[in-house]
Coordinates of all heavy atoms in Angstrom, one line a residue:
H1 N 147.7 96.1 80.5 CA 146.9 97.3 81.0 C 146.1 96.9 82.3 O 145.3 97.7 82.8 CB 146.0 97.8 79.9 CG 144.7 97.0 79.6 ND1 144.9 95.7 79.0 CD2 143.4 97.2 79.7 CE1 143.7 95.3 78.8 NE2 142.8 96.1 79.2
I2 N 146.5 95.8 82.9 CA 146.0 95.4 84.3 C 146.9 94.4 84.9 O 147.5 93.6 84.1 CB 144.5 95.0 84.2 CG1 143.9 95.1 85.6 CG2 144.4 93.6 83.6 CD1 142.3 95.0 85.6
R3 N 147.0 94.3 86.2 CA 147.7 93.2 86.8 C 146.7 92.1 87.1 O 145.6 92.3 87.6 CB 148.3 93.7 88.1 CG 149.3 94.9 87.9 CD 149.9 95.3 89.2 NE 150.5 96.6 89.1 CZ 151.8 96.9 88.7 NH1 152.5 95.9 88.2 NH2 152.2 98.1 88.5
Q4 N 147.2 90.9 86.9 CA 146.3 89.7 87.0 C 146.9 88.7 88.1 O 148.2 88.4 87.9 CB 146.1 89.0 85.7 CG 145.4 89.9 84.7 CD 145.2 89.1 83.4 OE1 144.3 88.3 83.2 NE2 146.1 89.3 82.5
F5 N 146.2 88.2 89.0 CA 146.6 87.2 90.0 C 145.6 86.1 89.9 O 144.4 86.2 90.1 CB 146.6 87.8 91.4 CG 147.6 89.0 91.5 CD1 147.1 90.3 91.3 CD2 148.9 88.8 91.7 CE1 148.0 91.4 91.4 CE2 149.8 89.8 91.8 CZ 149.3 91.1 91.7
M6 N 146.1 84.9 89.6 CA 145.2 83.8 89.2 C 145.2 82.6 90.3 O 146.3 82.3 90.8 CB 145.6 83.2 87.8 CG 145.6 84.1 86.7 SD 144.0 84.8 86.4 CE 144.1 85.1 84.6
Y7 N 144.0 82.1 90.5 CA 143.8 80.9 91.2 C 143.1 79.9 90.3 O 142.0 80.2 89.9 CB 143.0 81.0 92.5 CG 143.7 81.8 93.6 CD1 143.7 83.2 93.6 CD2 144.3 81.2 94.7 CE1 144.3 83.9 94.6 CE2 144.9 81.9 95.7 CZ 144.9 83.3 95.6 OH 145.5 84.0 96.7
Y8 N 143.7 78.8 90.0 CA 143.0 77.8 89.0 C 142.3 76.7 89.8 O 142.4 76.6 91.0 CB 144.1 77.2 88.1 CG 144.5 78.2 87.0 CD1 145.7 79.0 87.2 CD2 143.8 78.3 85.8 CE1 146.0 79.9 86.2 CE2 144.2 79.2 84.9 CZ 145.3 80.0 85.1 OH 145.7 80.9 84.1
R9 N 141.5 76.0 89.0 CA 140.7 74.9 89.6 C 140.6 73.8 88.5 O 140.9 74.0 87.4 CB 139.4 75.3 90.0 CG 138.4 75.7 88.9 CD 137.0 76.0 89.4 NE 136.4 74.8 90.0 CZ 135.6 74.0 89.4 NH1 135.3 74.2 88.1 NH2 135.0 73.0 90.0
G10 N 140.2 72.6 89.0 CA 139.8 71.5 88.1 C 141.0 71.1 87.3 O 142.2 71.0 87.7
D11 N 140.7 70.9 86.0 CA 141.8 70.4 85.1 C 142.9 71.4 84.9 O 144.0 71.1 84.6 CB 141.2 70.1 83.7 CG 140.3 68.9 83.7 OD1 140.4 68.1 84.7 OD2 139.4 68.8 82.8
N12 N 142.6 72.7 85.2 CA 143.6 73.7 85.0 C 144.6 73.8 86.2 O 145.5 74.7 86.1 CB 142.9 75.1 84.8 CG 142.3 75.2 83.5 OD1 142.7 74.6 82.5 ND2 141.2 76.0 83.4
L13 N 144.5 72.9 87.2 CA 145.5 72.9 88.2 C 146.8 72.5 87.6 O 147.8 72.6 88.3 CB 145.0 71.9 89.3 CG 143.9 72.4 90.2 CD1 143.5 71.4 91.2 CD2 144.1 73.7 90.8
K14 N 146.9 72.0 86.4 CA 148.1 71.6 85.8 C 149.0 72.9 85.6 O 150.2 72.7 85.4 CB 147.9 71.0 84.4 CG 147.2 72.0 83.4 CD 146.8 71.3 82.2 CE 146.0 72.2 81.2 NZ 145.4 71.5 80.0
Y15 N 148.5 74.1 85.7 CA 149.3 75.2 85.6 C 150.0 75.6 86.9 O 150.8 76.5 86.9 CB 148.4 76.5 85.2 CG 147.7 76.3 83.8 CD1 146.4 76.3 83.7 CD2 148.5 76.1 82.7 CE1 145.8 76.1 82.5 CE2 148.0 75.9 81.4 CZ 146.6 75.9 81.4 OH 146.0 75.7 80.1
L16 N 149.7 74.8 87.9 CA 150.4 75.0 89.2 C 151.7 74.2 89.2 O 151.9 73.2 89.9 CB 149.6 74.7 90.4 CG 148.7 75.7 90.9 CD1 147.7 76.3 89.9 CD2 147.9 75.2 92.2
D17 N 152.6 74.6 88.4 CA 153.9 74.0 88.2 C 155.0 75.0 88.5 O 155.0 76.1 88.1 CB 154.1 73.5 86.7 CG 155.4 72.7 86.6 OD1 155.8 72.2 87.6 OD2 155.9 72.7 85.4
G18 N 155.9 74.6 89.4 CA 156.9 75.6 89.8 C 156.5 76.2 91.1 O 156.1 75.5 92.0
S19 N 156.5 77.5 91.2 CA 156.2 78.2 92.4 C 155.4 79.6 92.1 O 155.6 80.1 91.0 CB 157.4 78.6 93.2 OG 158.0 79.7 92.8
P20 N 154.6 80.1 93.0 CA 153.9 81.3 92.8 C 154.8 82.5 92.7 O 154.4 83.6 92.2 CB 153.0 81.5 94.0 CG 153.5 80.6 95.0 CD 154.3 79.5 94.3
Q21 N 156.1 82.3 93.0 CA 157.0 83.5 92.8 C 157.3 83.7 91.3 O 157.8 84.8 90.9 CB 158.3 83.2 93.6 CG 158.2 83.6 95.1 CD 157.2 82.7 95.8 OE1 157.2 81.5 95.7 NE2 156.3 83.3 96.5
A22 N 157.1 82.7 90.5 CA 157.4 82.8 89.1 C 156.3 83.8 88.5 O 155.2 83.9 89.0 CB 157.3 81.5 88.4
G23 N 156.6 84.4 87.4 CA 155.6 85.3 86.7 C 156.3 86.6 86.5 O 157.5 86.8 86.5
S24 N 155.5 87.7 86.4 CA 156.0 89.0 86.1 C 155.3 90.0 87.1 O 154.5 89.6 87.9 CB 155.7 89.4 84.7 OG 154.3 89.6 84.5
D25 N 155.6 91.3 86.9 CA 155.0 92.3 87.7 C 153.5 92.4 87.4 O 152.8 93.0 88.1 CB 155.7 93.7 87.4 CG 157.0 93.8 88.0 OD1 157.4 93.0 88.8 OD2 157.7 94.8 87.6
Y26 N 153.1 91.9 86.2 CA 151.7 92.0 85.8 C 150.9 90.8 85.8 O 149.7 90.8 85.6 CB 151.7 92.6 84.4 CG 152.4 94.0 84.3 CD1 153.7 94.1 83.9 CD2 151.7 95.1 84.7 CE1 154.3 95.3 83.9 CE2 152.3 96.4 84.7 CZ 153.6 96.5 84.3 OH 154.2 97.7 84.2
F27 N 151.5 89.6 86.0 CA 150.8 88.3 85.9 C 151.4 87.3 86.8 O 152.6 87.0 86.7 CB 150.7 87.8 84.5 CG 149.9 86.6 84.3 CD1 148.5 86.7 84.0 CD2 150.4 85.3 84.5 CE1 147.7 85.6 83.9 CE2 149.6 84.2 84.5 CZ 148.3 84.3 84.1
R28 N 150.6 86.7 87.7 CA 151.2 85.6 88.6 C 150.1 84.6 88.8 O 148.9 85.0 89.0 CB 151.6 86.1 89.9 CG 153.0 86.8 89.8 CD 153.4 87.4 91.2 NE 153.4 86.4 92.2 CZ 153.3 86.7 93.5 NH1 153.0 87.9 93.9 NH2 153.3 85.7 94.4
V29 N 150.4 83.3 88.7 CA 149.6 82.3 89.2 C 149.9 82.0 90.7 O 151.1 81.8 91.1 CB 149.8 81.0 88.4 CG1 148.9 79.9 89.0 CG2 149.5 81.2 86.9
L30 N 148.8 82.1 91.5 CA 149.1 82.1 93.0 C 148.7 80.7 93.6 O 149.3 80.3 94.6 CB 148.3 83.1 93.7 CG 148.7 84.6 93.4 CD1 147.8 85.6 94.2 CD2 150.1 84.9 93.8
G31 N 147.7 80.1 93.0 CA 147.3 78.8 93.6 C 146.0 78.2 93.1 O 145.7 78.4 91.9
A32 N 145.3 77.6 94.0 CA 144.1 76.8 93.6 C 142.9 77.4 94.2 O 142.9 77.8 95.4 CB 144.2 75.3 93.9
K33 N 141.8 77.3 93.5 CA 140.4 77.7 94.0 C 139.6 76.4 94.3 O 139.6 75.5 93.5 CB 139.6 78.5 93.0 CG 138.2 78.6 93.2 CD 137.8 79.6 94.4 CE 136.3 79.7 94.5 NZ 135.6 80.4 93.4
F34 N 139.0 76.3 95.5 CA 138.2 75.2 95.9 C 136.8 75.6 96.3 O 136.7 76.8 96.7 CB 138.8 74.4 97.1 CG 140.2 73.8 96.8 CD1 141.3 74.2 97.5 CD2 140.4 72.9 95.8 CE1 142.6 73.7 97.2 CE2 141.7 72.4 95.5 CZ 142.7 72.8 96.3
W35 N 135.9 74.8 96.1 CA 134.5 75.0 96.6 C 134.2 74.0 97.7 O 134.4 72.8 97.6 CB 133.5 74.7 95.5 CG 133.1 75.9 94.6 CD1 132.2 76.8 94.8 CD2 133.8 76.3 93.4 NE1 132.2 77.8 93.8 CE2 133.2 77.5 92.9 CE3 134.9 75.8 92.8 CZ2 133.6 78.1 91.8 CZ3 135.4 76.4 91.6 CH2 134.7 77.6 91.1
Y36 N 133.7 74.6 98.8 CA 133.1 73.6 99.9 C 131.7 73.5 99.8 O 131.1 72.5 99.9 CB 133.6 74.1 101.3 CG 133.1 73.0 102.3 CD1 133.8 71.8 102.3 CD2 132.1 73.2 103.1 CE1 133.4 70.8 103.2 CE2 131.7 72.2 104.0 CZ 132.3 71.0 104.0 OH 131.9 70.0 104.8
D37 N 131.0 74.7 99.6 CA 129.5 74.7 99.4 C 129.1 75.5 98.2 O 130.0 75.9 97.4 CB 128.8 75.1 100.7 CG 129.0 76.6 101.1 OD1 129.9 77.2 100.5 OD2 128.2 77.1 101.9
G38 N 127.9 75.9 98.0 CA 127.4 76.6 96.8 C 126.8 77.9 97.1 O 127.3 78.7 97.9
S39 N 125.6 78.1 96.5 CA 125.0 79.5 96.5 C 123.8 79.5 97.5 O 123.1 78.5 97.6 CB 124.5 79.8 95.2 OG 123.6 81.0 95.2
P40 N 123.6 80.6 98.2 CA 122.4 80.8 99.0 C 121.2 80.7 98.2 O 120.1 80.4 98.9 CB 122.6 82.2 99.6 CG 124.1 82.5 99.5 CD 124.5 81.8 98.3
Y41 N 121.2 80.9 96.9 CA 120.0 81.1 96.1 C 119.7 79.9 95.2 O 118.8 79.9 94.4 CB 120.1 82.4 95.3 CG 120.6 83.5 96.2 CD1 121.9 84.0 95.9 CD2 119.9 83.9 97.2 CE1 122.4 85.0 96.8 CE2 120.5 84.9 98.1 CZ 121.7 85.4 97.8 OH 122.3 86.4 98.7
S42 N 120.5 78.8 95.5 CA 120.2 77.5 94.8 C 119.9 76.4 95.8 O 119.8 75.3 95.4 CB 121.4 77.1 93.9 OG 122.5 76.8 94.6
G43 N 120.1 76.8 97.1 CA 119.9 75.8 98.2 C 121.1 75.0 98.5 O 121.0 74.0 99.2
S44 N 122.2 75.4 97.9 CA 123.5 74.6 98.1 C 124.4 75.2 99.1 O 125.5 74.7 99.3 CB 124.2 74.4 96.7 OG 124.3 75.6 96.1
M45 N 124.1 76.3 99.7 CA 124.9 76.8 100.9 C 124.6 75.9 102.0 O 123.5 75.5 102.4 CB 124.4 78.2 101.2 CG 125.1 78.8 102.4 SD 124.6 80.6 102.6 CE 122.9 80.5 103.0

């Protein structure tokens, strides 16, 4: 009941196996999420 496009991080990068073309019309793993800095409101930007 919704289409999902995923970017994983950390230990879950193990799901980046194969290619982002794999999946279905409703679910695809696209790649990885990285952090360079943090939040403006914790002083970590």
Side-chain angles (χ1 to χ4, degrees):
H1 73 294
I2 198 166
R3 302 182 196 276
Q4 299 179 83
F5 301 92
M6 303 297 209
Y7 291 80
Y8 283 95
R9 70 175 295 266
D11 292 342
N12 287 330
L13 290 179
K14 63 189 177 186
Y15 298 121
L16 272 61
D17 185 24
S19 80
Q21 280 63 51
S24 71
D25 285 349
Y26 300 96
F27 185 92
R28 284 175 59 203
V29 177
L30 293 180
K33 164 76 179 291
F34 299 117
W35 271 268
Y36 187 72
D37 65 347
S39 167
Y41 317 110
S42 67
S44 52
M45 174 173 69

